[in-house]
Amino acid sequence: MSKLSALEMNLLRQIADLHKIPEGAYNIRENGQLGGRNSTENIEISTKTDKPGIDIRIKPGTKNESVHIPVIITKTGYSELVYNDFYVGEDSDVIIIAGCGIHNSGCDTAQHDGVHTFYVGKNARIKYVEKHYGEGEGTGERIMNPSTVVYLEEGARVEMDTSQIRGVDSTRRSTKIYAKAGGEVLVLEKLLTHGRQTAVSDMEIMLEGDGSRARVISRSVAQDESEQTFYPKVTGGAECFAHVQCDSIIMGRAKVSSIPAINARHVSAQLVHEAAIGKIAGDQLLKLMTLGLTEKEAEERILAGFLK
Amino acid sequence: MLSIRGLRYAVEDAGGGREILGGIDLDVERGRLVVITGPNGGGKTTLAKAVMGLIEPASGSIKFNGTELIGLSVTERARLGISYGFQHPPRFKGLQVTELLSIAAGRKLTPNECCAYLVKVGLCTEDYIDREIDASLSGGELKRIEIATILARNSSLMIFDEPEAGIDLWSFSKLTQTFEAIHKRSDSTIIIISHQERIIRLADEVVLVAGGRVTQTGAAGDILPHIGDVAVDCAIKEALV
């Protein structure tokens, strides 16, 4: 950590709120190299031997511990495909903070494709926080394609909180979650695109066991000429409940598509989907202007609240 | 404080132009509580919106403390000290009650300060302070939060557009006490658009607006007996001719 430059520290702040060496287990990947690692008594991080990436093994019963695994790229033209596997022991309760920051000051594409697979043991709970951030004065594109697969054993719970606010030129997100009996899925996805950025989010949740449930809240803002496409899909193969809510604010000449699917494969599957796309309502802007904000300030407050 | 002269506003509809304000003249002195009342469609809300700058009148003058408001933006008028409580306030997905009240106050309010404003509109505060101003709020709750934003704003001219609409009886009673208290304890000028007798009785002056014109002004005791009678209906008919 001490070798990291101010630029790299800024990326770490943006994606992981890290201002210093994190407590607990961590693995920092910078430009494909190991920038720092710490395993703890209960959380062991090791380098994969067959492909790029790491294995994170969390002992059963580990509670109130965290794992930080930020990725930073500052080299223009650098691309990588990384596989991170998480083995979360039964009855654990941990927070995993991932995220990728790219600073591209050159003219070549910088790209991070991360495949994260979670094997969550019986009655274990994880909160997975993922932030994507891009910056840099270069013309080279900043691309991030995260792929997340979660296997929930009986009674396990995953809370996914993902956000990508500005700076990433192109993203293709893939999320697949499989829940056994009593499994619980909570996904909060926040996305803001601008300029000519494109974003595609492909999400599939399979509720396979009785008593499993899922709640998905997707909020996005598409500005300028950016384009977003959402494919949230839930399949209920047991007595289960799912609620998917997708809200998008469209601005400028942006394009947004929301293409939901709910598939029931069981008579007691209760699946709900709500989707809405619209511009900021005129009366919302006017209300905040009557409280003394300018139109631009009002717009910023509305967007900040929406994506909070 | 507020001086309105010859204010006219018309809209286009299927039958051509329709005049909503037909030359309003009105003066409101500093520190007064004025209730504007009159039949539906008479132009009350349009008049209030014109003062806030939410609509642009065809002609006329609105002076606030000597400053001509015509041509100024909503933001500029708000910063001069005018606030307007919407008859149908918007909802904000993601924005919490405390954030909206803080925007209104122009600074970050403490939970206790937010509570104090919410109590004045009859809301049990702990339940509301972190609530989002979204579809989970009932119309009455939304309306009371809207009124609380005007209280937090604490401007020199507060305009409330039918504050009683959608509010239950208990809260209405609290609300009338709140208006009375603001009027007694502050220098603010208060304009309330209302049909409610209890609110009309709070007024220093009642202004009857019908058919896009001020048809009568006076004390509550003078105006109340005439509300809803033939004189008002005739005023509307006259204006429509």
Side-chain angles (χ1 to χ4, degrees):
Chain A
M1 284 288 285
S2 58
K3 288 185 292 181
L4 293 180
S5 65
L7 185 107
E8 290 165 328
M9 280 308 296
N10 182 51
L11 288 177
L12 280 180
R13 265 195 297 277
Q14 295 290 344
I15 61 173
D17 290 331
L18 285 181
H19 298 269
K20 55 184 174 57
I21 295 173
E23 286 180 15
Y26 67 87
N27 187 93
I28 299 166
R29 183 181 176 93
E30 45 171 319
N31 297 316
Q33 303 297 312
L34 182 61
R37 174 180 297 170
N38 186 49
S39 292
T40 65
E41 191 184 337
N42 293 324
I43 302 174
E44 187 200 339
I45 303 176
S46 57
T47 305
K48 279 188 181 297
T49 51
D50 56 339
K51 53 190 174 185
I54 52 177
D55 287 329
I56 296 105
R57 294 177 190 280
I58 298 166
K59 280 187 186 169
T62 303
K63 304 244 186 209
N64 302 320
E65 291 196 34
S66 63
V67 190
H68 283 81
I69 52 159
V71 170
I72 51 178
I73 295 175
T74 55
K75 262 195 336 205
T76 187
Y78 180 78
S79 289
E80 63 180 8
L81 171 60
V82 180
Y83 297 86
N84 295 335
D85 292 339
F86 299 78
Y87 301 91
V88 184
E90 293 179 5
D91 299 310
S92 301
D93 190 347
V94 292
I95 297 178
I96 297 160
I97 297 134
C100 180
I102 295 179
H103 179 102
N104 193 350
S105 54
C107 54
D108 297 319
T109 296
Q111 179 168 346
H112 171 78
D113 292 358
V115 181
H116 287 186
T117 308
F118 296 85
Y119 302 92
V120 188
K122 275 187 188 173
N123 300 316
R125 299 161 71 93
I126 60 166
K127 178 169 182 179
Y128 175 57
V129 181
E130 178 200 272
K131 281 187 190 174
H132 282 175
Y133 172 73
E135 61 173 30
E137 62 282 9
T139 54
E141 283 202 297
R142 301 177 290 264
I143 299 176
M144 297 181 198
N145 296 320
S147 175
T148 308
V149 185
V150 183
Y151 298 98
L152 294 179
E153 291 297 327
E154 288 171 14
R157 180 182 199 269
V158 61
E159 180 181 342
M160 269 182 78
D161 186 344
T162 69
S163 59
Q164 177 188 309
I165 311 295
R166 299 187 181 276
V168 178
D169 294 302
S170 163
T171 189
R172 186 166 189 107
R173 310 181 57 84
S174 165
T175 308
K176 282 193 163 68
I177 303 176
Y178 302 83
K180 288 190 179 169
E184 187 178 356
V185 179
L186 178 65
V187 179
L188 177 60
E189 179 183 56
K190 290 166 285 184
L191 185 67
L192 184 148
T193 54
H194 59 108
R196 292 176 173 274
Q197 295 173 349
T198 61
V200 177
S201 176
D202 215 336
M203 187 184 300
E204 194 168 1
I205 297 172
M206 263 93 32
L207 299 175
E208 299 171 329
D210 285 346
S212 54
R213 53 199 183 277
R215 181 171 292 275
V216 177
I217 299 170
S218 170
R219 286 189 176 173
S220 79
V221 176
Q223 298 179 323
D224 306 325
E225 292 175 70
S226 63
E227 292 188 26
Q228 301 177 354
T229 310
F230 296 92
Y231 298 100
K233 180 180 170 188
V234 178
T235 300
E239 182 192 336
C240 60
F241 173 79
H243 187 271
V244 181
Q245 188 188 341
C246 296
D247 283 305
S248 299
I249 291 179
I250 187 165
M251 301 170 74
R253 297 171 63 193
K255 293 175 183 162
V256 180
S257 300
S258 193
I259 305 153
I262 42 179
N263 301 316
R265 297 283 180 267
H266 189 282
V267 70
S268 295
Q270 191 187 343
L271 312 175
V272 183
H273 184 275
E274 292 177 64
I277 302 171
K279 65 179 180 181
I280 296 176
D283 59 351
Q284 290 181 327
L285 288 171
L286 287 172
K287 170 64 199 170
L288 297 190
M289 288 161 71
T290 65
L291 299 178
L293 301 190
T294 63
E295 186 172 351
K296 191 168 185 323
E297 287 167 343
E299 188 180 289
E300 283 167 3
R301 291 303 291 256
I302 291 165
L303 295 184
F306 184 70
L307 291 174
K308 190 170 53 201
Chain B
M1 137 112 3
L2 187 69
S3 176
I4 298 172
R5 290 290 175 272
L7 201 66
R8 290 182 178 274
Y9 180 74
V11 290
E12 293 292 320
D13 63 11
R18 187 163 62 91
E19 195 165 61
I20 306 293
L21 300 181
I24 293 267
D25 295 327
L26 180 66
D27 289 296
V28 178
E29 287 171 35
R30 182 186 306 277
R32 301 273 277 179
L33 193 162
V34 174
V35 172
I36 299 178
T37 193
N40 291 326
K44 304 182 297 297
T45 291
T46 306
L47 172 61
K49 285 185 171 177
V51 174
M52 190 69 243
L54 298 168
I55 57 151
E56 195 180 331
S59 62
S61 160
I62 307 172
K63 285 193 173 158
F64 177 66
N65 292 331
T67 303
E68 178 57 69
L69 296 182
I70 301 295
L72 297 185
S73 69
V74 175
T75 308
E76 287 168 321
R77 296 182 201 210
R79 290 178 180 176
L80 281 176
I82 301 171
S83 58
Y84 171 72
F86 284 53
Q87 188 178 357
H88 302 291
R91 296 171 196 270
F92 296 89
K93 208 170 260 186
L95 205 62
Q96 289 168 317
V97 171
T98 89
E99 291 174 283
L100 188 64
L101 291 176
S102 292
I103 293 171
R107 65 186 174 85
K108 189 161 173 49
L109 295 178
T110 64
N112 280 345
E113 287 173 313
C114 289
C115 282
Y117 291 121
L118 292 171
V119 163
K120 286 180 184 168
V121 293
L123 287 178
C124 177
T125 54
E126 279 185 17
D127 298 343
Y128 288 94
I129 207 152
D130 292 328
R131 284 275 294 274
E132 288 190 7
I133 305 159
D134 59 13
S136 70
L137 292 172
S138 74
E141 290 168 328
L142 186 66
K143 194 63 191 272
R144 282 183 278 170
I145 289 164
E146 172 72 5
I147 295 163
T149 66
I150 305 305
L151 303 182
R153 184 101 189 116
N154 195 25
S155 343
S156 52
L157 172 60
M158 305 178 183
I159 306 170
F160 297 91
D161 196 348
E162 293 198 29
E164 72 272 14
I167 289 181
D168 59 77
L169 269 179
W170 183 83
S171 303
F172 177 65
S173 170
K174 180 79 195 162
L175 201 61
T176 52
Q177 288 168 18
T178 297
F179 287 135
E180 208 168 3
I182 307 171
H183 184 41
K184 270 186 188 159
R185 290 176 205 158
S186 82
D187 296 336
S188 291
T189 306
I190 303 168
I191 296 177
I192 308 174
I193 296 172
S194 179
H195 301 289
Q196 286 292 328
E197 188 177 335
R198 278 175 67 185
I199 288 184
I200 293 170
R201 290 204 181 277
L202 297 175
D204 299 316
E205 186 177 6
V206 177
V207 176
L208 196 56
V209 172
R213 289 192 173 89
V214 174
T215 56
Q216 204 175 344
T217 59
D222 300 331
I223 302 282
L224 271 170
H226 302 290
I227 290 177
D229 70 13
V230 180
V232 175
D233 291 333
C234 286
I236 301 169
K237 284 173 196 158
E238 210 173 88
L240 292 175
V241 170

